[in-house]
Amino acid sequence: MTRVGLLSDTHGYWDEKYAYYFRECDLILHAGDIGSILLTERLEDIAPLYAVYGNIDGIEIRQKFPQVAEFNIEDLPVMMTHIGGYPGRYEALVTKKLLEAERKGTPYKLFISGHSHILKVMSDKRFQLLHINPGAAGLQGWQTVRTLVTFSVDGKAIKDLNVIELSR
């Protein structure tokens, strides 16, 4: 079983609560708008990090992380990007990748995006996957509650999903 910590839209803001809530994670995912390479290094001190760059990220972050990350957590195929939309309203690039994976017989079972600063956990019946947007963990933006998400992956199963609310 792999324990995963998920966050997005930190905009360079580090909170010691990230380390506290992700301390037992085997893997950390950052869905873009990182804002600082130092922040990624601090997350990597906690656990291995998979991240994608967001629209506010500069060249240093864009050189280190891709726009779209495609990987497996155990047996669970995952796609992550910053600006991706959500079920029924995906960005064109996301729809293209979902359809390609479906045609190849290797469909994604988890799609992660950020950008909206709105926490969403939604089932997509069309592509038979779970979509997670962890909301925003940083201070930049209009959100009144900052959020993190943790979950476990056991083979192909997503379990024990928790939303962690942080004060503004």
Side-chain angles (χ1 to χ4, degrees):
M1 184 145 23
T2 302
R3 191 80 182 132
V4 180
L6 172 60
L7 73 168
S8 185
D9 295 278
T10 48
H11 292 261
Y13 178 72
W14 174 260
D15 188 328
E16 285 300 324
K17 291 175 185 171
Y18 306 159
Y20 175 78
Y21 286 110
F22 293 165
R23 71 189 181 283
E24 295 179 9
C25 291
D26 303 301
L27 180 66
I28 297 173
L29 308 177
H30 195 303
D33 277 3
I34 299 163
S36 162
I37 205 73
L38 178 60
L39 188 136
T40 67
E41 292 166 358
R42 292 183 84 175
L43 291 171
E44 288 169 329
D45 286 342
I46 302 165
L49 173 69
Y50 285 28
V52 293
Y53 69 77
N55 54 294
I56 66 107
D57 291 316
I59 191 71
E60 189 175 18
I61 291 171
R62 288 173 187 247
Q63 288 176 334
K64 185 171 181 179
F65 300 106
Q67 177 184 13
V68 178
E70 300 166 271
F71 53 93
N72 282 11
I73 303 172
E74 295 193 14
D75 299 324
L76 183 75
V78 180
M79 179 176 39
M80 178 170 67
T81 193
H82 182 60
I83 301 175
Y86 53 90
R89 298 202 59 180
Y90 292 122
E91 293 292 320
L93 176 64
V94 172
T95 300
K96 178 182 174 191
K97 288 188 169 289
L98 290 171
L99 289 169
E100 285 173 0
E102 190 177 66
R103 274 193 299 276
K104 290 179 186 174
T106 57
Y108 297 104
K109 292 300 173 187
L110 176 60
F111 170 61
I112 297 168
S113 64
H115 188 62
S116 70
H117 291 220
I118 299 170
L119 171 73
K120 288 185 183 178
V121 179
M122 301 173 69
S123 178
D124 181 334
K125 290 179 176 35
R126 163 60 185 91
F127 287 103
Q128 298 181 349
L129 59 76
L130 182 67
H131 165 65
I132 303 175
N133 182 325
L139 296 176
Q140 191 77 18
W142 53 269
Q143 71 280 355
T144 57
V145 177
R146 299 180 303 122
T147 50
L148 307 172
V149 173
T150 60
F151 59 94
S152 296
V153 175
D154 188 3
K156 289 184 179 181
I158 299 168
K159 300 179 173 184
D160 307 320
L161 191 139
N162 292 297
V163 173
I164 299 151
E165 294 185 348
L166 306 172
S167 64
R168 183 111 169 117

